[in-house]
PDB file of all heavy atoms in Angstrom:
ATOM      1  N   LEU A  70      -8.422 -24.991  33.055  1.00 97.00           N
ATOM      2  CA  LEU A  70      -8.914 -24.891  31.684  1.00 97.00           C
ATOM      3  C   LEU A  70      -9.597 -26.210  31.209  1.00 97.00           C
ATOM      4  O   LEU A  70     -10.655 -26.145  30.600  1.00 97.00           O
ATOM      5  CB  LEU A  70      -7.776 -24.556  30.714  1.00 97.00           C
ATOM      6  CG  LEU A  70      -7.115 -23.146  30.879  1.00 97.00           C
ATOM      7  CD1 LEU A  70      -5.907 -23.069  29.969  1.00 97.00           C
ATOM      8  CD2 LEU A  70      -8.170 -22.059  30.499  1.00 97.00           C
ATOM      9  N   THR A  71      -8.981 -27.322  31.556  1.00 97.00           N
ATOM     10  CA  THR A  71      -9.516 -28.635  31.127  1.00 97.00           C
ATOM     11  C   THR A  71     -10.944 -28.864  31.751  1.00 97.00           C
ATOM     12  O   THR A  71     -11.816 -29.378  31.126  1.00 97.00           O
ATOM     13  CB  THR A  71      -8.558 -29.748  31.546  1.00 97.00           C
ATOM     14  OG1 THR A  71      -7.284 -29.485  31.058  1.00 97.00           O
ATOM     15  CG2 THR A  71      -9.045 -31.095  30.992  1.00 97.00           C
ATOM     16  N   ALA A  72     -11.087 -28.349  33.020  1.00 97.00           N
ATOM     17  CA  ALA A  72     -12.395 -28.551  33.682  1.00 97.00           C
ATOM     18  C   ALA A  72     -13.424 -27.550  33.317  1.00 97.00           C
ATOM     19  O   ALA A  72     -14.666 -27.802  33.389  1.00 97.00           O
ATOM     20  CB  ALA A  72     -12.109 -28.480  35.230  1.00 97.00           C
ATOM     21  N   ASN A  73     -12.988 -26.333  32.875  1.00 97.00           N
ATOM     22  CA  ASN A  73     -13.958 -25.234  32.696  1.00 97.00           C
ATOM     23  C   ASN A  73     -14.085 -24.673  31.274  1.00 97.00           C
ATOM     24  O   ASN A  73     -15.033 -23.941  30.981  1.00 97.00           O
ATOM     25  CB  ASN A  73     -13.592 -24.053  33.620  1.00 97.00           C
ATOM     26  CG  ASN A  73     -13.715 -24.441  35.043  1.00 97.00           C
ATOM     27  OD1 ASN A  73     -14.802 -24.422  35.615  1.00 97.00           O
ATOM     28  ND2 ASN A  73     -12.536 -24.789  35.672  1.00 97.00           N
ATOM     29  N   GLU A  74     -13.201 -25.013  30.404  1.00 96.00           N
ATOM     30  CA  GLU A  74     -13.221 -24.487  29.011  1.00 96.00           C
ATOM     31  C   GLU A  74     -13.430 -25.607  27.976  1.00 96.00           C
ATOM     32  O   GLU A  74     -12.575 -26.444  27.822  1.00 96.00           O
ATOM     33  CB  GLU A  74     -12.036 -23.694  28.664  1.00 96.00           C
ATOM     34  CG  GLU A  74     -11.986 -23.191  27.207  1.00 96.00           C
ATOM     35  CD  GLU A  74     -13.236 -22.483  26.806  1.00 96.00           C
ATOM     36  OE1 GLU A  74     -13.576 -21.448  27.408  1.00 96.00           O
ATOM     37  OE2 GLU A  74     -13.882 -23.000  25.858  1.00 96.00           O
ATOM     38  N   PRO A  75     -14.654 -25.769  27.427  1.00 93.00           N
ATOM     39  CA  PRO A  75     -14.956 -26.869  26.456  1.00 93.00           C
ATOM     40  C   PRO A  75     -13.950 -27.002  25.324  1.00 93.00           C
ATOM     41  O   PRO A  75     -13.799 -28.098  24.782  1.00 93.00           O
ATOM     42  CB  PRO A  75     -16.307 -26.581  25.990  1.00 93.00           C
ATOM     43  CG  PRO A  75     -16.948 -25.649  27.028  1.00 93.00           C
ATOM     44  CD  PRO A  75     -15.786 -24.883  27.562  1.00 93.00           C
ATOM     45  N   ALA A  76     -13.326 -25.847  24.907  1.00 93.00           N
ATOM     46  CA  ALA A  76     -12.409 -25.917  23.793  1.00 93.00           C
ATOM     47  C   ALA A  76     -11.123 -26.571  24.111  1.00 93.00           C
ATOM     48  O   ALA A  76     -10.341 -26.906  23.225  1.00 93.00           O
ATOM     49  CB  ALA A  76     -12.181 -24.490  23.255  1.00 93.00           C
ATOM     50  N   VAL A  77     -10.806 -26.725  25.419  1.00 96.00           N
ATOM     51  CA  VAL A  77      -9.534 -27.354  25.806  1.00 96.00           C
ATOM     52  C   VAL A  77      -9.673 -28.803  26.071  1.00 96.00           C
ATOM     53  O   VAL A  77     -10.456 -29.216  26.990  1.00 96.00           O
ATOM     54  CB  VAL A  77      -8.980 -26.577  27.062  1.00 96.00           C
ATOM     55  CG1 VAL A  77      -7.671 -27.285  27.545  1.00 96.00           C
ATOM     56  CG2 VAL A  77      -8.686 -25.098  26.751  1.00 96.00           C
ATOM     57  N   LYS A  78      -8.952 -29.656  25.402  1.00 95.00           N
ATOM     58  CA  LYS A  78      -8.982 -31.098  25.621  1.00 95.00           C
ATOM     59  C   LYS A  78      -7.923 -31.594  26.632  1.00 95.00           C
ATOM     60  O   LYS A  78      -8.197 -32.467  27.429  1.00 95.00           O
ATOM     61  CB  LYS A  78      -8.721 -31.779  24.253  1.00 95.00           C
ATOM     62  CG  LYS A  78      -8.737 -33.350  24.391  1.00 95.00           C
ATOM     63  CD  LYS A  78      -8.519 -33.967  23.020  1.00 95.00           C
ATOM     64  CE  LYS A  78      -8.565 -35.516  23.119  1.00 95.00           C
ATOM     65  NZ  LYS A  78      -8.298 -36.179  21.835  1.00 95.00           N
ATOM     66  N   GLY A  79      -6.782 -30.954  26.658  1.00 96.00           N
ATOM     67  CA  GLY A  79      -5.727 -31.327  27.556  1.00 96.00           C
ATOM     68  C   GLY A  79      -4.564 -30.358  27.510  1.00 96.00           C
ATOM     69  O   GLY A  79      -4.668 -29.302  26.871  1.00 96.00           O
ATOM     70  N   TYR A  80      -3.488 -30.710  28.200  1.00 97.00           N
ATOM     71  CA  TYR A  80      -2.338 -29.790  28.237  1.00 97.00           C
ATOM     72  C   TYR A  80      -1.127 -30.527  28.660  1.00 97.00           C
ATOM     73  O   TYR A  80      -1.151 -31.672  29.146  1.00 97.00           O
ATOM     74  CB  TYR A  80      -2.655 -28.662  29.207  1.00 97.00           C
ATOM     75  CG  TYR A  80      -2.579 -29.084  30.664  1.00 97.00           C
ATOM     76  CD1 TYR A  80      -1.375 -29.014  31.387  1.00 97.00           C
ATOM     77  CD2 TYR A  80      -3.734 -29.578  31.329  1.00 97.00           C
ATOM     78  CE1 TYR A  80      -1.332 -29.394  32.721  1.00 97.00           C
ATOM     79  CE2 TYR A  80      -3.694 -30.013  32.634  1.00 97.00           C
ATOM     80  CZ  TYR A  80      -2.486 -29.927  33.342  1.00 97.00           C
ATOM     81  OH  TYR A  80      -2.433 -30.306  34.630  1.00 97.00           O
ATOM     82  N   ASN A  81       0.038 -29.885  28.514  1.00 96.00           N
ATOM     83  CA  ASN A  81       1.310 -30.308  29.123  1.00 96.00           C
ATOM     84  C   ASN A  81       2.110 -29.113  29.452  1.00 96.00           C
ATOM     85  O   ASN A  81       1.929 -28.011  28.843  1.00 96.00           O
ATOM     86  CB  ASN A  81       2.071 -31.276  28.179  1.00 96.00           C
ATOM     87  CG  ASN A  81       2.500 -30.596  26.928  1.00 96.00           C
ATOM     88  OD1 ASN A  81       3.532 -29.950  26.826  1.00 96.00           O
ATOM     89  ND2 ASN A  81       1.708 -30.811  25.842  1.00 96.00           N
ATOM     90  N   VAL A  82       2.970 -29.228  30.486  1.00 97.00           N
ATOM     91  CA  VAL A  82       3.782 -28.060  30.915  1.00 97.00           C
ATOM     92  C   VAL A  82       5.252 -28.333  30.727  1.00 97.00           C
ATOM     93  O   VAL A  82       5.751 -29.412  31.097  1.00 97.00           O
ATOM     94  CB  VAL A  82       3.476 -27.744  32.392  1.00 97.00           C
ATOM     95  CG1 VAL A  82       4.335 -26.545  32.870  1.00 97.00           C
ATOM     96  CG2 VAL A  82       2.026 -27.461  32.609  1.00 97.00           C
ATOM     97  N   VAL A  83       5.924 -27.428  30.065  1.00 95.00           N
ATOM     98  CA  VAL A  83       7.355 -27.506  29.917  1.00 95.00           C
ATOM     99  C   VAL A  83       7.987 -26.257  30.503  1.00 95.00           C
ATOM    100  O   VAL A  83       7.862 -25.136  29.948  1.00 95.00           O
ATOM    101  CB  VAL A  83       7.765 -27.615  28.399  1.00 95.00           C
ATOM    102  CG1 VAL A  83       9.299 -27.695  28.299  1.00 95.00           C
ATOM    103  CG2 VAL A  83       7.102 -28.863  27.767  1.00 95.00           C
ATOM    104  N   LYS A  84       8.512 -26.407  31.741  1.00 91.00           N
ATOM    105  CA  LYS A  84       9.077 -25.283  32.527  1.00 91.00           C
ATOM    106  C   LYS A  84       7.931 -24.226  32.689  1.00 91.00           C
ATOM    107  O   LYS A  84       6.923 -24.549  33.238  1.00 91.00           O
ATOM    108  CB  LYS A  84      10.290 -24.705  31.837  1.00 91.00           C
ATOM    109  CG  LYS A  84      11.449 -25.685  31.802  1.00 91.00           C
ATOM    110  CD  LYS A  84      12.722 -25.127  31.194  1.00 91.00           C
ATOM    111  CE  LYS A  84      13.853 -26.161  31.217  1.00 91.00           C
ATOM    112  NZ  LYS A  84      15.077 -25.631  30.602  1.00 91.00           N
ATOM    113  N   GLY A  85       8.095 -23.021  32.171  1.00 93.00           N
ATOM    114  CA  GLY A  85       7.097 -22.014  32.358  1.00 93.00           C
ATOM    115  C   GLY A  85       6.149 -21.873  31.210  1.00 93.00           C
ATOM    116  O   GLY A  85       5.484 -20.810  31.033  1.00 93.00           O
ATOM    117  N   PHE A  86       6.093 -22.904  30.347  1.00 96.00           N
ATOM    118  CA  PHE A  86       5.203 -22.809  29.152  1.00 96.00           C
ATOM    119  C   PHE A  86       4.105 -23.849  29.239  1.00 96.00           C
ATOM    120  O   PHE A  86       4.348 -25.039  29.424  1.00 96.00           O
ATOM    121  CB  PHE A  86       6.058 -23.064  27.922  1.00 96.00           C
ATOM    122  CG  PHE A  86       7.172 -22.042  27.722  1.00 96.00           C
ATOM    123  CD1 PHE A  86       8.436 -22.302  28.262  1.00 96.00           C
ATOM    124  CD2 PHE A  86       6.951 -20.855  27.074  1.00 96.00           C
ATOM    125  CE1 PHE A  86       9.502 -21.385  28.098  1.00 96.00           C
ATOM    126  CE2 PHE A  86       7.939 -19.927  26.926  1.00 96.00           C
ATOM    127  CZ  PHE A  86       9.214 -20.169  27.484  1.00 96.00           C
ATOM    128  N   LEU A  87       2.866 -23.352  29.089  1.00 97.00           N
ATOM    129  CA  LEU A  87       1.662 -24.207  29.163  1.00 97.00           C
ATOM    130  C   LEU A  87       1.251 -24.479  27.694  1.00 97.00           C
ATOM    131  O   LEU A  87       0.781 -23.626  27.006  1.00 97.00           O
ATOM    132  CB  LEU A  87       0.580 -23.524  29.935  1.00 97.00           C
ATOM    133  CG  LEU A  87      -0.801 -24.168  29.912  1.00 97.00           C
ATOM    134  CD1 LEU A  87      -0.818 -25.522  30.490  1.00 97.00           C
ATOM    135  CD2 LEU A  87      -1.817 -23.226  30.625  1.00 97.00           C
ATOM    136  N   ASN A  88       1.410 -25.719  27.279  1.00 97.00           N
ATOM    137  CA  ASN A  88       1.019 -26.106  25.880  1.00 97.00           C
ATOM    138  C   ASN A  88      -0.435 -26.707  25.945  1.00 97.00           C
ATOM    139  O   ASN A  88      -0.632 -27.712  26.648  1.00 97.00           O
ATOM    140  CB  ASN A  88       1.991 -27.209  25.382  1.00 97.00           C
ATOM    141  CG  ASN A  88       3.387 -26.683  25.304  1.00 97.00           C
ATOM    142  OD1 ASN A  88       3.675 -25.507  24.973  1.00 97.00           O
ATOM    143  ND2 ASN A  88       4.370 -27.515  25.708  1.00 97.00           N
TER     144      ASN A  88
END
Side-chain angles (χ1 to χ4, degrees):
L70 292 173
T71 306
N73 295 280
E74 175 50 62
V77 176
K78 180 181 181 182
Y80 72 92
N81 64 84
V82 179
V83 180
K84 296 183 179 179
F86 300 92
L87 171 61
N88 301 319

